[in-house]
Amino acid sequence: GIQVEQSPPDLILQEGANSTLRCNFSDSVNNLQWFHQNPWGQLINLFYIPSGTKQNGRLSATTVATERYSLLYISSSQTTDSGVYFCAVGVREGNEKLTFGTGTRLTIIP
Amino acid sequence: DAGVTQSPTHLIKTRGQQVTLRCSPKSGHDTVSWYQQALGQGPQFIFQYYEEEERQRGNFPDRFSGHQFPNYSSELNVNALLLGDSALYLCASSFYVMKEQFFGPGTRLTVL
């Protein structure tokens, strides 16, 4: 099956800093989603981005499908950005299961 | 617009028991997928239900079974619980012809 790798595994930043999280995948995808998992376990949808670039406030994401990677950018980090960020992909047309990466744990220090 | 809801929030069982977890999809969604997330790992796909049928299944034993009701809500049943079944169980809903999935808050299962 498809392999999904995320880097870095851990990231500790001062409040106000910017960060880039990377997701590499081993096959062509038809679905790519970025999630933020909060300390209570809730997975919050950040982006649905199988290709191209999107922005939502301080967050933006870019997926280069031909090169099989996606990047999540977080600017002016806040303590509420802390948590685990997951990239998840689907490889078939239609409603395919999601395969998740191992996540990046982001800690923002006040 | 209510999001995906799951019940119960937490559950404690002993080895060998059976458990049923419940999920109500987001309004307008017709497909429910279940995922298991062990501590420190990413969620792993269990199975997906659409039109009251299991459409896809991950690498989980037959002890894991499910059901979808006409109102699109779903149940996950696990029989003969093992210690290794302790995990966060996540339900995701979507509209079948679309791809984006939305997750509920999860049920945290502890098996003693």
Side-chain angles (χ1 to χ4, degrees):
Chain A
I2 191 168
Q3 303 298 313
V4 184
E5 296 181 353
Q6 292 185 243
S7 59
D10 292 280
L11 192 56
I12 300 174
L13 296 172
Q14 206 74 30
E15 196 169 23
N18 301 329
S19 58
T20 301
L21 282 58
R22 186 177 180 102
C23 171
N24 292 333
F25 41 94
S26 60
D27 203 349
S28 300
V29 299
N30 286 306
N31 180 5
L32 190 146
Q33 293 184 242
W34 281 99
F35 297 94
H36 174 209
Q37 188 165 43
N38 66 22
W40 298 272
Q42 173 82 58
L43 280 170
I44 299 164
N45 288 48
L46 298 178
F47 293 102
Y48 166 71
I49 189 167
S51 63
T53 298
K54 290 186 178 179
Q55 180 158 8
N56 184 6
R58 296 182 295 105
L59 275 60
S60 63
T62 295
T63 297
V64 184
T66 53
E67 297 187 21
R68 299 182 183 170
Y69 73 89
S70 183
L71 301 174
L72 177 68
Y73 306 96
I74 304 173
S75 64
S76 304
S77 297
Q78 301 175 359
T79 56
T80 52
D81 294 332
S82 295
V84 182
Y85 289 79
F86 286 104
C87 164
V89 302
V91 299
R92 284 190 340 199
E93 293 295 333
N95 206 316
E96 167 69 347
K97 68 177 184 180
L98 291 176
T99 299
F100 281 75
T102 50
T104 292
R105 180 174 297 278
L106 177 64
T107 302
I108 303 300
I109 300 171
Chain B
D1 178 23
V4 182
T5 60
Q6 293 186 241
S7 62
T9 305
H10 295 86
L11 206 49
I12 299 175
K13 292 285 188 179
T14 56
R15 282 178 296 174
Q17 285 190 311
Q18 178 264 342
V19 67
T20 298
L21 311 181
R22 295 176 176 83
C23 171
S24 291
K26 188 176 169 68
S27 178
H29 286 180
D30 56 8
T31 303
V32 173
S33 303
W34 287 92
Y35 294 79
Q36 180 196 65
Q37 185 177 20
L39 199 61
Q41 298 182 19
Q44 300 288 317
F45 175 76
I46 303 175
F47 43 54
Q48 181 187 84
Y49 278 84
Y50 170 66
E51 291 187 331
E52 303 180 47
E53 290 187 10
E54 184 182 292
R55 299 290 177 162
Q56 301 178 63
R57 189 178 183 93
N59 188 24
F60 280 79
D62 292 345
R63 298 187 297 109
F64 289 77
S65 64
H67 189 76
Q68 186 179 35
F69 300 93
N71 67 352
Y72 308 119
S73 66
S74 176
E75 289 182 348
L76 163 65
N77 301 293
V78 187
N79 294 323
L81 284 167
L82 304 174
L83 296 179
D85 294 332
S86 295
L88 179 67
Y89 288 84
L90 295 162
C91 167
S93 80
S94 55
F95 186 50
Y96 192 71
V97 296
M98 306 298 289
K99 299 182 179 65
E100 189 173 9
Q101 297 187 25
F102 295 82
F103 284 78
T107 293
R108 195 167 296 278
L109 172 65
T110 302
V111 182
L112 302 176

